[in-house]
Structures are given as structure tokens and as C-alpha cells.
Amino acid sequence: MEAPQVKNFAVWDYVVFAGLFVISSGIGVFFAIKERKKATSREFLVGGRQMSFGPVALSLTASFMSAVTVLGTPSEVYRFGASFLLFFIAYTFVIIFTSELFLPVFYRSGITSTYEYLQLRFNKPVRYAATVIYIVQTILYTGVVVYAPALALNQVTGFDLWGSVFSTGIVCTFYCTLGGLKAVVWTDAFQMVVMIVGFLTVLIQGSAHAGGLHNVLEQAANGSRLNIFDFDVDPLRRHTFWTVSVGGTFTWLGIYGVNQSTIQRCISCRTEKHAKLALYFNLLGLWIILGCAIFSGLIMYSYFRNCDPWTSGIISAPDQLMPYFVMEIFSTMPGLPGLFVACAFSGTLSTVAASINALATVTFEDFVKSCFPHLSDKKSTWISKGLCLLFGVMCTTMAVVASFMGGVVQAALSIHGMCGGPMLGLFTLGIVFPFVNWKGALGGLLTGITLSFWVAIGAFIYPAPDSKTWPLPLSTDQCVPSNVTESVPPVLPSRPAIADTWYSLSYLYYSAVGCLGCIIAGLIISFITGRQRGQDIQPLLIRPVCNLFCFWSKKYKTLCWCGVQHDSGTEQENVEVDSAWKQGVESALQNGLRKESLAHDPGYNSKDKSYTNMALEKITHL
């Protein structure tokens, strides 16, 4: 018998789905009209730095819990078990490191592009190298998250795959270009609600079909899906406690801690406290979405435990499991399949829009303003909108490449690992190690990129042995007999010895390889070429983490500062820098930064009567 025909949307499904696009576009139009009198690039790109933590937290969660999560994570849990639950640990560490280590440096220095920091701390070549890598990484990643929901829509409705890709790109580009960051943030907040509602309907209906949550958990346990804590230290195993918690922390820290898309929304908050609250509330959102995705995977396993649609040939790829499941359980309930696909598309729209806005920001700040420092506000705004349009087109067309990249979760996290890990190492060198010079930073970045691309491309050419990546048992005992023949794995050519070791490393370790390679190489090169003088570095650009370990001794703390003048840092810990510091930074960037003069910039607004800025004013005159 042939594989079942694709079930088509009912009228109500199209109504629900279209409503998502209409409301998302409407938010962009609303902010375009509302903010038309505030026509500055600052207002367009960072919302005038007056956002509150609530919508920013929802926006952060929606952007990084994309269709990759909605479609890919349940499929991963269905096939490999609930070890994905360990990402709860990784997310927690990521948010703590981001809010306490990276965010204070970025927020207080008043920058708009995170890569401005690299010029302040090192020099222009380091900044430009990092910016180019970020642009390539983000376009690649965005291609994956555009392709994923298009695949879902194609599977559940038969709607043209590339038609849905281009419609997604057009809507995202439309509201992002019109409304800027405020439109992105508020649209993300709306789409986050849609994602949660979509997941909840699947959880409720799926549990009812499976006989209740107790039955789901019992059947998942019988199928070995609840064996979460596997403490095998073998780095070649795809998912263990160590690969998910340690490798996942490195991977997501590259996504969160130093990613322009995240930091841009954090620095758009009106105070540093609001920015930190946004991150911590975002952690709660990450936990909720991850929990929903994991339970969806377990419910799906309970439903298909005796007839796996993937190995039986009913569907052609694991990423189609979730949409196929949705069409099965909602077959008599018009409108709800449309809600699920709207849920998947909500993740995509939010991620793509945030990426487009971030790409436009770094390109404008790092390249356009460097070449044309005296642009008028009107020209700056139009250039920013033009960049949004350009990157919208590039990210949409990149989705074609994503169709050749295998599972969406592994593809997405591999891209972030390959590029995000070395970037994480670069910013860590600048923020944590005062003695690292620009040669060490650039050499470390190139080393990290080389290592991470080497292992990732090697793994693509020589896939890991089945013993390390084979899914848990899946049954087809009760499937209706079909004429689908079981595929026989092709005979692989002889493999080099390195293919079963280095190339078989878990994809979650790619980021760790790039990050640690960058840090180690950067430290060694800095010692060889002559360490950076701490006296030349503005204290705001360094986070004195050594204070945690040398709290008992001022002598050892001072030694670890490597000459950076942190002596007045106790008053500085909770301060928030206002726009005047940004003006001083921009002046320094445009006129060629001399670090010894940076400490004497007027920097902070003496007219601001708030305690924090008065403290900063006092610090700068010490």
C-alpha cells in the first residue's frame, strides 16, 4: 500500500494561519506610524534604549526557541530519549554567565554593536574579522530556521515548499524594515504567546489520545525514553550528561553571551537592571518551551510506539514527525492544525526578524559608519532600512542550502558551534584576560575557527559510526503492511583513522573546541608577542572575575588585574552608563582610538542626578 496522502488544511486552518501573518505585519505598520517622528538610526536599531524587561524577555525566548525547537526537539526526544532535559542545566549556566559576565561590559560601555567592543579592547582588524564571521554565521543559521517550518507546512498541507519559504521571508522583512527593533520585540512577544498556545493544544489533545500523562510516562519508561542521566564521559557519544550540559553550555553561550541579536535587545533596555531581569525571565521562558517540546516528544512516542512512521516509510525525514503527529490527532478538529503550524512559524518569524535587525545593526555600525561618520539621521535611518531589506532577501534565499543539511536541530547547533564557539573565545579573551593583545586575539580567533570547521566538515564527510548515534529502538510491528522496502545502508569507502575519533566528536562539542582553541592560542600568542599593558585599558572593558577567587587578599587581586585600574571598581559594580559615554566612545572610534585617552573622555553625563551616574563621574576624575 502507498504511503498515506498528505492531509490538507481546512478553511479554518488557513484563517488561523493567515491571522498570524496579518497581526505580525500589522505590528510593523503600527510602529512605523507611531515612531515616524523619531527618525533616527538609534531609535530604529535599538528602540531608543527605552525598552522594559517584559517584552524583551519574551522576544529573547521566542527568537531562540524557533521552529528548530518546535519541530526538531520533539523528534530528537522521540528517537533518542529525554536527555534533552539536561539543557535545563545548560540554559541556567548560560543565563548566569551572560547576565553577570558579558552583559555588564557591553551595557556600561554604551555600544550598539557588540563588535565595537573589540575595537575598543583590541583594534579595527579584530573587529572587522569578527563582524564578517558573525554575518556569515547568522545568514547560515537563519536559512535553517526558514526552511524548517516550510518543511512542516509542506508535510501537513502539501503547500509548495519554496512558496512558504519566500512568504516567510517577505513578511519578516516587511515588518522588520518598517518598524525596526520595537516592531521586532513586540511581534516576538505576540509570537511567543502563539508558540505556547500551540504547544499546549498538542499536549492536551495528545495526552488524551494516549490515555493520560501517567500512561505516557509509563510507556516512555518502557521504551527507555526516560534514561536521562547517562554519565558516560565518551565525547563521541551524541547525547550524554556531559555532552548536553557542558557542550550545550558552550554552544548556547556562543548564541546568548556574545551574540549581537541577544545583546542588542538587552542594551535596548532602559537600565542594566531591566536588561538582567529580561535575561532571567527569559530563562523561565526557555524552561517552559523546552519542557513543552520534551513532553510533546514523549507523547508522540507513546502514540507511535507500535508503528513508527519514519522507519516504516510513511514520512521521509525525522523532522516531519511532529507535523504528521499533529495532523493525526487533530484530524477531526479544523483550525487546530493551523494553530500548530502558526506555532512553528511564530518561532521562525521571530528568529528571522531578530537576525535581520541584528545583521543590519552590525553592518551599519561596523562598516557604514566607519566609512561615512557624518551621515544625517534621515540618511542613517534609510540606510538601516535598506540593510534590513538586503539581509531579508539573503536570509530567505539561504534556506535553499538548509534543505541539504540533514536534521534541523543538529544543523542549527552545528552552525552555532562552528562560528559561535570561536567568537565566544574571542570575547572571553578580551573581557577576562587583561594581558591578551590584539595579535593574540586575532590569532586565537583564526585558530578556533580552523579547529571547529575542521571537526564539523570532517563529520559531514565522514559521519560518526552508528554505535555512537543510533536512535533508541523504534517498532513497526503494528503498521499496516506496505510495499516500502527497508533501506540498506550503503557500503562506505575506507575511512581514515581520524574519522572514528576526531570527526566523530559529538556535535555539541564543536563550540567548546572552537572556544577553548581560541582562548589557548590567544594566551600563548600574547605571551610570545608581548603582553598588553593593563594601564592602557579602560577598566569598563574588563570584568575582574579574579575578585571572586582572591577576595581575601587585595595584593593577589591587584596582581591578577595585570595593571588595569580597578581600584575604584567597588562603586562601579552596579552602575549604568548613559548616552554621553556612548558619544565619547563614538568619537574615539571615529578618530582612531588611543586607549590612554579613553579614560579621560568626558564619558558620563554630569547633569544626570542619578546615584549611578554621579558615581561614574566621580570615578572618571579620580
Side-chain angles (χ1 to χ4, degrees):
M1 126 178 181
E2 296 294 327
Q5 289 186 341
V6 173
K7 298 180 174 68
N8 291 314
F9 265 16
V11 173
W12 281 109
D13 295 315
Y14 284 109
V15 170
V16 172
F17 181 63
L20 171 73
F21 282 89
V22 171
I23 295 174
S24 298
S25 300
I27 293 173
V29 173
F30 171 78
F31 278 102
I33 296 171
K34 182 185 175 186
E35 308 292 327
R36 66 187 184 279
K37 294 182 180 178
K38 303 177 182 177
T40 66
S41 60
R42 173 192 172 94
E43 190 72 32
F44 183 80
L45 296 174
V46 291
R49 300 181 190 266
Q50 290 299 312
M51 302 295 292
S52 58
F53 69 88
V56 172
L58 290 172
S59 175
L60 286 170
T61 306
S63 293
F64 290 103
M65 294 289 100
S66 63
V68 171
T69 304
V70 176
L71 302 180
T73 301
S75 169
E76 292 281 322
V77 173
Y78 173 86
R79 292 182 300 145
F80 296 98
S83 57
F84 248 67
L85 191 68
L86 296 171
F87 272 107
F88 277 78
I89 299 173
Y91 291 161
T92 304
F93 280 118
V94 165
I95 296 301
I96 292 172
F97 279 122
T98 302
S99 61
E100 305 303 330
L101 178 62
F102 296 109
L103 175 64
V105 174
F106 294 135
Y107 193 94
R108 295 172 192 181
S109 56
I111 58 180
T112 300
S113 162
T114 52
Y115 308 101
E116 289 179 63
Y117 168 83
L118 296 174
Q119 185 176 342
L120 293 173
R121 176 66 177 84
F122 300 115
N123 61 12
K124 278 188 178 183
V126 177
R127 175 185 181 179
Y128 292 151
T131 303
V132 170
I133 291 169
Y134 169 76
I135 290 172
V136 172
Q137 168 198 0
T138 305
I139 292 174
L140 284 172
Y141 175 71
T142 307
V144 173
V145 297
V146 169
Y147 173 72
L151 179 65
L153 190 61
N154 176 255
Q155 172 67 22
V156 298
T157 71
F159 187 76
D160 181 73
L161 182 66
W162 300 115
S164 56
V165 165
F166 292 120
S167 62
T168 303
I170 289 168
V171 171
C172 279
T173 306
F174 174 75
Y175 73 75
C176 182
T177 304
L178 276 184
L181 183 72
K182 285 188 178 179
V184 171
V185 168
W186 283 104
T187 309
D188 286 354
F190 160 70
Q191 289 160 356
M192 177 66 183
V193 174
V194 174
M195 288 175 71
I196 291 177
V197 172
F199 260 134
L200 288 178
T201 56
V202 172
L203 291 174
I204 293 169
Q205 183 71 2
S207 297
H209 274 269
L213 192 58
H214 175 74
N215 277 355
V216 169
L217 294 176
E218 184 178 337
Q219 289 157 1
N222 292 339
S224 303
R225 262 57 185 180
L226 297 184
N227 297 339
I228 297 170
F229 296 98
D230 180 355
F231 291 99
D232 186 351
V233 295
D234 183 0
L236 309 186
R237 291 277 305 281
R238 193 168 187 271
H239 289 156
T240 66
F241 175 85
W242 304 110
T243 56
V244 176
S245 58
V246 177
T249 298
F250 275 97
T251 300
W252 281 88
L253 198 54
I255 298 171
Y256 261 80
V258 297
N259 187 291
Q260 171 68 24
S261 185
T262 303
I263 298 301
Q264 181 173 339
R265 277 170 285 181
C266 289
I267 63 178
S268 74
C269 291
R270 59 173 62 106
T271 65
E272 186 182 323
K273 182 179 179 182
H274 271 265
K276 287 187 176 183
L277 283 173
L279 283 169
Y280 284 113
F281 274 91
N282 159 54
L283 175 60
L284 183 62
L286 293 178
W287 284 345
I288 292 171
I289 295 293
L290 181 62
C292 288
I294 289 170
F295 274 108
S296 295
L298 296 177
I299 292 170
M300 196 159 58
Y301 172 75
S302 176
Y303 187 86
F304 290 130
R305 68 188 184 283
N306 295 318
C307 179
D308 171 39
W310 176 42
T311 52
S312 65
I314 296 174
I315 60 174
S316 58
D319 300 320
Q320 298 173 357
L321 278 164
M322 187 67 174
Y324 178 77
F325 172 62
V326 166
M327 292 305 289
E328 286 284 307
I329 64 175
F330 291 134
S331 57
T332 60
M333 305 174 74
L336 292 181
L339 180 61
F340 166 75
V341 177
C343 168
F345 265 82
S346 290
T348 292
L349 291 171
S350 59
T351 303
V352 174
S355 297
I356 291 171
N357 191 260
L359 287 166
T361 301
V362 297
T363 305
F364 180 78
E365 293 288 332
D366 295 348
F367 294 117
V368 176
K369 284 180 72 173
S370 294
C371 298
F372 308 101
H374 303 297
L375 286 171
S376 66
D377 283 339
K378 187 174 182 180
K379 286 183 179 178
S380 297
T381 305
W382 279 108
I383 290 173
S384 300
K385 291 186 176 186
L387 289 169
C388 282
L389 183 61
L390 171 65
F391 284 116
V393 172
M394 291 178 68
C395 291
T396 305
T397 53
M398 192 65 219
V400 179
V401 177
S403 62
F404 302 103
M405 296 186 71
V408 291
V409 168
Q410 183 165 340
L413 294 182
S414 296
I415 290 167
H416 274 305
M418 291 158 64
C419 299
M423 297 289 281
L424 173 63
L426 176 62
F427 280 98
T428 303
L429 283 173
I431 291 172
V432 177
F433 301 100
F435 54 84
V436 171
N437 60 30
W438 72 268
K439 296 172 186 173
L442 197 56
L445 177 63
L446 295 176
T447 303
I449 287 286
T450 302
L451 288 173
S452 57
F453 269 73
W454 179 22
V455 65
I457 293 173
F460 184 78
I461 297 172
Y462 298 102
D466 289 342
S467 60
K468 304 296 182 183
T469 62
W470 200 250
L472 295 171
L474 296 165
S475 172
T476 57
D477 292 345
Q478 295 183 19
C479 290
V480 177
S482 70
N483 61 0
V484 177
T485 57
E486 188 174 344
S487 60
V488 179
V491 178
L492 296 174
S494 58
R495 292 158 60 91
I498 197 174
D500 294 326
T501 51
W502 177 242
Y503 294 160
S504 296
L505 193 69
S506 170
Y507 71 96
L508 288 171
Y509 279 135
Y510 295 167
S511 186
V513 166
C515 178
L516 296 177
C518 175
I519 291 173
I520 293 169
L523 295 176
I524 293 172
I525 294 171
S526 294
F527 275 111
I528 292 173
T529 58
R531 294 178 295 173
Q532 174 80 33
R533 293 178 67 245
Q535 292 87 341
D536 295 339
I537 301 175
Q538 168 70 21
L540 279 175
L541 303 178
I542 302 291
R543 195 75 172 140
V545 293
C546 58
N547 291 2
L548 294 172
F549 308 103
C550 305
F551 61 88
W552 71 91
S553 170
K554 185 171 182 179
K555 174 184 174 184
Y556 288 124
K557 279 198 293 188
T558 305
L559 183 66
C560 291
W561 291 344
C562 302
V564 179
Q565 303 300 311
H566 284 301
D567 302 89
S568 54
T570 52
E571 291 183 68
Q572 186 180 314
E573 289 300 320
N574 296 312
V575 298
E576 289 147 2
V577 181
D578 66 3
S579 60
W581 164 254
K582 173 62 178 170
Q583 293 167 6
V585 170
E586 286 177 343
S587 174
L589 288 171
Q590 291 171 8
N591 297 321
L593 182 66
R594 287 178 19 251
K595 292 192 177 71
E596 63 270 20
S597 68
L598 188 58
H600 302 292
D601 262 342
Y604 312 114
N605 190 352
S606 59
K607 296 180 181 179
D608 193 319
K609 300 302 180 183
S610 68
Y611 169 78
T612 53
N613 284 311
M614 287 175 68
L616 272 173
E617 184 191 357
K618 184 163 47 177
I619 290 167
T620 57
H621 288 89
L622 284 176

